[in-house]
Amino acid sequence: MTIFNHAESKINGVGLGLKRELISQIQAAFGQELIANINFVEIAPENWIDVGGKARKQLDWFAERYPIVCHGLCLSLGGLAPLNTGFLQQVKKFLQQYNIPLYTEHLSYSTDAYKGQQGYLYDLLPIPFTEEAVHYVAKRIRQTQDILGQRIAIENASFYVQAPVSTMSELTFIQAVLTEADCLLHLDINNIYVNSVNFGFDAHEFLLGIPGERIVYSHVAGHYQQTPDLLIDTHGEDVIDPVWTLLEEAYQLFGTFPTLLERDNNIPPLNLLMRELNKIAYYQSKYHQQPLASTSLYG
Amino acid sequence: MTSDIPSFQHYQLAFTAYIRDPLQQPRPKGVPAKRMDVYKEIVLNNLFESVSACFPVAQKVLSKRAWLTLVRRFFREHSANSPMFRQIPEEFVNYVTKICLSDETKLPQYLASLCHYEWVELLVSCMDETSNEVIPNIQGINPMADLLAYKPVFTPTMQLLNYEYAVQKISPSYKPKEKVNTQLLVYRNAEDIVRFVELNPVTHRLIELLHDSTNTGEQALTMIANELNHPQPASVLQFGLEILNSLRSQDIILGVYS
């Protein structure tokens, strides 16, 4: 199995999610100082596999100029229907075709059918945190890794409802899945913060419990405050200070790792977005050291 | 059917059942309504946006309320099989076609055709023409050659469409009651812009006879002259050549293998 290695991969520094609204702006600014801190871009395979026409030409343009990360939305690692292996074969081909070193997915589910039939809801739903769910999800992650012939990273998801059937904390669940699946971690800093408010736990303590040696990638984003105790993970606002603080703390604790700004809604012009990318780059330069993931896990 | 699954999956089933149908299904036990509402709204809203973006005309000819009701019903009843987001509208077209055939709701008769017509634009805009084997040897195409003497090669994104309604004219001020047999061609041009062309019956038949066959232009036109019992087959050939050259000038015909 191919392991993910920062030194060999070109995924480093700061990245930006490739949204249609931003494509022509990045193309126009290419080579300029303004976007010097875009080191890689991220795409959802569910939006780009087997596209032709204008979208294909855009993808090819970026693939020639930037390293790409695939961040999936619909693999449904915690879903009831069998893993969509046909789709995974398409993902595998796509990763090879575009020389994409990293594929990450959410620790969530997006399907609800039972006994063979997929029923996609096209959204990220919370997996109950139980022993059985740990084994179930870990098995599906292993199956995914076997099909792809490489490790994947799983992302801690944001959520709004705590399952009454849960028997452990989110952190314990994440730790157990990572260990049992022997996979990598895509740490979403904003999701830690969102969940800490939604469920009243200490985000810093949560961070301390994260197995840092498995982190290969991270996200920061903004969210929407619906009420003081309910944050919605919209990716439609600027990143707030407590989330920046948490990112800084993560770099301090674990060393720096590639970090992407997610902005999916209410997208401002590129020059404004770059302020947030530049801020990530600033923190990375402040805490730069050998990423632990490539030394302790694979050294 | 669900007795053999672990309890966390029972909960998941209850969770998604409620999201899909909050009016009929109970809220999962022990879950606060306010929090569950977030999922109820977000999941439907995201799907609503993904669907609606593809069907601007269908949305307008139905009332806002009827459109929302239709999308809700799609979400409640349809089991979508594709993880690809751009196939959500295709899933919707399949669903609308199915319910329009079997249904006693007051959806307009033309709705399935209209939705298909609007979806085809998306299909053609992002169709991956390089992945199929429609044109095995694009370099071997001679763009200038005689379209009568050889088999014309059509652009691989071309779709021939047949509708029972004049779908391209439908708008809030034209909601057809009468069926009008409508033949269209859709394709993506060299600038990646999707174009629709209204076809007369002869042109439609000509393309049909040339597409997916080995007929040369002359053979297809001779067949049409016979089908029409035309007194002057030579004029059909002449007229047909003009059609073929016009299709070539629009990049619908790429040339011939000569």
Side-chain angles (χ1 to χ4, degrees), chain A residues 5-6 14 42 47 72 78 114 125 146 153 208 213 237 254 259 268:
Chain A
N5 188 320
H6 281 288
V14 186
E42 180 197 277
N47 283 329
Y114 181 60
L125 306 174
D146 287 344
L208 289 173
E213 72 281 2
E237 314 279 332
F254 308 123
T259 302

Side-chain angles (χ1 to χ4, degrees), chain A:
Chain A
M1 183 173 293
T2 312
I3 56 169
F4 184 82
N5 188 320
H6 281 288
E8 287 170 21
S9 149
K10 297 188 191 97
I11 309 300
N12 278 303
V14 186
L16 183 58
L18 196 60
K19 305 300 294 180
R20 313 246 186 230
E21 296 88 335
L22 293 168
I23 286 175
S24 62
Q25 294 183 64
I26 298 173
Q27 288 176 326
F30 187 73
Q32 293 172 23
E33 188 59 28
L34 173 70
I35 60 165
N37 275 330
I38 302 180
N39 304 123
F40 63 90
V41 295
E42 180 197 277
I43 59 176
E46 291 85 351
N47 283 329
W48 295 91
I49 284 176
D50 285 345
V51 291
K54 190 178 163 201
R56 172 64 168 274
K57 284 168 191 158
Q58 290 170 332
L59 177 60
D60 290 349
W61 189 93
F62 278 90
E64 282 165 19
R65 289 163 181 82
Y66 288 101
I68 295 177
V69 171
C70 260
H71 179 51
L73 295 162
C74 287
L75 186 57
S76 197
L77 284 168
L80 269 90
L83 210 53
N84 188 340
T85 54
F87 169 63
L88 273 176
Q89 292 295 348
Q90 287 180 286
V91 170
K92 182 178 187 174
K93 196 175 134 207
F94 186 71
L95 297 177
Q96 286 166 350
Q97 185 184 353
Y98 285 97
N99 197 18
I100 296 171
L102 181 60
Y103 173 50
T104 81
E105 248 295 353
H106 298 84
L107 199 49
S108 68
Y109 68 104
S110 53
T111 53
D112 69 346
Y114 181 60
K115 292 201 171 164
Q117 209 193 358
Q118 297 280 352
Y120 284 92
L121 290 97
Y122 304 104
D123 231 307
L124 304 169
L125 306 174
I127 304 171
F129 305 137
T130 72
E131 284 293 338
E132 281 168 316
V134 169
H135 303 318
Y136 182 81
V137 173
K139 192 175 158 198
R140 286 160 72 96
I141 295 171
R142 284 187 173 274
Q143 191 188 350
T144 300
Q145 297 185 140
D146 287 344
I147 290 171
L148 297 179
Q150 68 181 55
R151 276 202 174 86
I152 66 165
I154 52 164
E155 182 194 6
N156 55 306
S158 58
F159 55 103
Y160 314 109
V161 166
Q162 197 119 47
V165 297
S166 287
T167 55
M168 62 180 82
S169 71
E170 183 193 2
L171 182 61
T172 309
F173 183 76
I174 293 171
Q175 290 164 336
V177 170
L178 286 170
T179 304
E180 190 167 321
D182 193 17
C183 64
L184 305 168
L185 178 60
H186 166 173
L187 188 67
D188 191 306
I189 304 289
N190 181 58
N191 290 353
I192 297 177
Y193 183 78
V194 165
N195 289 354
S196 78
V197 171
N198 289 350
F199 304 109
F201 63 78
D202 185 321
H204 301 279
E205 271 177 31
F206 186 99
L207 197 58
L208 289 173
I210 288 292
E213 72 281 2
R214 292 194 185 265
I215 303 171
V216 290
Y217 189 63
S218 76
H219 277 169
V220 286
H223 55 256
Y224 168 73
Q225 187 186 55
Q226 187 160 311
T227 60
D229 65 347
L230 178 57
L231 306 183
I232 310 292
D233 187 24
T234 53
H235 305 164
E237 314 279 332
D238 290 349
V239 181
I240 64 165
D241 283 340
V243 173
W244 286 121
T245 306
L246 212 53
L247 176 68
E248 200 176 349
E249 191 180 337
Y251 285 162
Q252 254 174 324
L253 282 170
F254 308 123
T256 61
F257 34 77
T259 302
L260 178 121
L261 176 74
E262 284 186 300
R263 188 71 185 242
D264 297 331
N265 293 297
N266 188 21
I267 300 177
L270 185 61
N271 60 329
L272 294 184
L273 270 190
M274 285 312 300
R275 290 184 193 172
E276 294 196 298
L277 274 81
N278 294 341
K279 198 161 174 174
I280 299 171
Y282 165 74
Y283 287 129
Q284 288 183 340
S285 65
K286 196 169 162 189
Y287 296 101
H288 186 70
Q289 49 183 281
Q290 257 322 92
L292 296 177
S294 56
T295 49
S296 60
L297 246 199
Y298 317 120

Side-chain angles (χ1 to χ4, degrees), chain A residues 46-47 49-53 56-57 78 109 112 114 118 120 122-123 132 136 159-160 163-164 198 229, chain B residues 1 4-6 9 11-12 16 20 29 34-35 39 46 79-83 85-86 126-128 188 192:
Chain A
E46 291 85 351
N47 283 329
I49 284 176
D50 285 345
V51 291
R56 172 64 168 274
K57 284 168 191 158
Y109 68 104
D112 69 346
Y114 181 60
Q118 297 280 352
Y120 284 92
Y122 304 104
D123 231 307
E132 281 168 316
Y136 182 81
F159 55 103
Y160 314 109
N198 289 350
D229 65 347
Chain B
M1 102 171 188
D4 54 338
I5 61 171
Q9 293 189 328
Y11 172 78
Q12 285 180 301
T16 56
R20 284 191 188 270
K29 277 190 198 112
K34 184 184 133 193
R35 294 302 184 92
Y39 285 103
N46 287 342
S79 185
N81 287 309
S82 171
F85 285 87
R86 68 175 176 281
C126 56
M127 184 183 282
D128 182 10
R188 195 171 74 216
D192 286 323

Side-chain angles (χ1 to χ4, degrees), chain B residues 5-258:
Chain B
I5 61 171
S7 65
F8 84 92
Q9 293 189 328
H10 278 290
Y11 172 78
Q12 285 180 301
L13 283 175
F15 193 86
T16 56
Y18 178 74
I19 293 174
R20 284 191 188 270
D21 191 6
L23 293 177
Q24 306 281 335
Q25 297 291 329
R27 196 171 68 237
K29 277 190 198 112
V31 169
K34 184 184 133 193
R35 294 302 184 92
M36 207 56 212
D37 283 351
V38 176
Y39 285 103
K40 199 174 86 180
E41 285 161 22
I42 284 182
V43 180
L44 179 66
N45 286 350
N46 287 342
L47 188 78
F48 182 82
E49 281 176 25
S50 297
V51 172
S52 299
C54 186
F55 305 101
V57 182
Q59 272 182 84
K60 278 190 206 123
V61 296
L62 295 185
S63 67
K64 256 188 185 171
R65 178 190 288 261
W67 180 254
L68 178 61
T69 303
L70 181 60
V71 177
R72 268 185 204 279
R73 197 178 152 191
F74 165 64
F75 184 45
R76 189 171 67 233
E77 295 178 356
H78 184 74
S79 185
N81 287 309
S82 171
M84 309 294 184
F85 285 87
R86 68 175 176 281
Q87 282 172 356
I88 297 174
E90 182 175 353
E91 300 270 3
F92 184 75
V93 170
N94 294 340
Y95 175 76
V96 169
T97 306
K98 195 179 78 187
I99 63 166
C100 283
L101 281 176
S102 65
D103 203 46
E104 288 159 11
T105 57
K106 288 174 188 152
L107 291 171
Q109 285 297 303
Y110 58 78
L111 187 67
S113 296
L114 174 62
C115 287
H116 186 277
Y117 167 72
E118 295 199 87
W119 161 71
V120 160
E121 181 171 0
L122 171 72
L123 175 79
V124 171
S125 74
C126 56
M127 184 183 282
D128 182 10
E129 76 283 10
T130 59
S131 76
N132 61 31
E133 300 297 316
V134 176
I135 300 188
N137 177 16
I138 202 153
Q139 283 81 19
I141 293 172
N142 177 351
M144 303 307 291
D146 183 354
L147 297 173
L148 289 181
Y150 299 94
K151 173 190 153 42
V153 179
F154 291 88
T155 186
T157 60
M158 183 190 77
Q159 310 282 310
L160 272 182
L161 307 169
N162 249 312
Y163 295 108
E164 290 183 328
Y165 293 92
V167 285
Q168 76 282 20
K169 295 178 182 157
I170 295 176
S171 74
S173 55
Y174 175 67
K175 299 177 183 177
K177 299 257 186 314
E178 304 294 315
K179 290 186 176 180
V180 182
N181 204 3
T182 300
Q183 292 158 333
L184 303 173
L185 176 158
V186 58
Y187 71 110
R188 195 171 74 216
N189 71 12
E191 285 78 46
D192 286 323
I193 295 164
V194 176
R195 299 274 186 217
F196 285 87
V197 182
E198 282 182 51
L199 301 178
N200 60 45
V202 172
T203 306
H204 185 269
R205 179 70 182 140
L206 175 61
I207 297 172
E208 208 173 47
L209 286 170
L210 290 168
H211 197 223
D212 299 330
S213 81
T214 56
N215 292 322
T216 66
E218 183 167 351
Q219 284 166 340
L221 286 163
T222 305
M223 288 160 87
I224 288 175
N226 288 337
E227 285 171 12
L228 295 172
N229 278 324
H230 201 282
Q232 291 170 298
S235 71
V236 175
L237 278 187
Q238 183 53 40
F239 173 63
L241 181 61
E242 283 168 25
I243 294 173
L244 293 175
N245 283 328
S246 160
L247 293 171
R248 174 156 61 186
S249 71
Q250 296 172 79
D251 296 327
I252 297 167
I253 289 177
L254 302 176
V256 304
Y257 293 124
S258 59

